[in-house]
Amino acid sequence: MTRSMVEDVWPLSPLQEGLLFQAAFDDEGPDVYTVQSSLAVDGPLDADRLRASWEALAERHAALRACFRWVSGARMAQVIARRVTLPWQEADVSALGGAEEALAEAERLAGEERARRFDLTAPP
């Protein structure tokens, strides 16, 4: 990240230091601190509005634009990016054969996403 893309640099909290230690200790297995929530939406969903809402949250709250970088020796810091592009993926399962097939595909997609580890050096 170039300097002009950096809004601020913050020290790590003790909790963040512990989480980063755990993430670095086992960087191959599943991330035990990743939490995933699924919601069922009844009725139409405006995907563009949903995405815009998440983009507004990231713009408003600097902590959601953080990444972690080595700053000196063995010290890490939170680097806050001025702007980020949210990693966004949409999948429409409504055209599948029925509710069971759609639910199975949604669960498969959620499992793939959950298995993908975060790159803590890249925001958001």
Side-chain angles (χ1 to χ4, degrees):
M1 183 178 331
T2 63
R3 190 145 184 78
S4 64
M5 294 174 61
V6 174
E7 179 178 306
D8 209 346
V9 178
W10 299 344
L12 298 182
S13 71
L15 179 59
Q16 287 172 319
E17 288 177 349
L19 292 171
L20 284 170
F21 171 81
Q22 294 296 328
F25 182 75
D26 181 11
D27 61 356
E28 297 293 321
D31 186 348
V32 296
Y33 294 108
T34 298
V35 176
Q36 184 181 70
S37 298
S38 298
L39 302 172
V41 177
D42 294 328
L45 173 68
D46 185 339
D48 291 334
R49 183 174 286 184
L50 179 62
R51 183 177 185 161
S53 298
W54 280 103
E55 288 171 343
L57 278 172
E59 189 173 324
R60 183 176 302 137
H61 299 286
L64 297 177
R65 300 188 310 273
C67 66
F68 301 92
R69 299 284 175 89
W70 295 104
V71 289
S72 65
R75 294 196 54 221
M76 288 195 89
Q78 298 179 69
V79 178
I80 310 300
R82 288 188 196 285
R83 296 208 161 257
V84 294
T85 300
L86 292 181
W88 192 265
Q89 178 181 337
E90 294 179 24
D92 184 354
V93 298
S94 65
L96 296 177
E100 288 181 19
E101 291 84 3
L103 182 58
E105 178 63 6
E107 288 177 2
R108 185 191 69 76
L109 292 168
E112 282 181 4
E113 189 67 27
R114 199 171 38 254
R116 189 175 307 127
R117 291 183 63 95
F118 286 102
D119 177 0
L120 299 175
T121 64

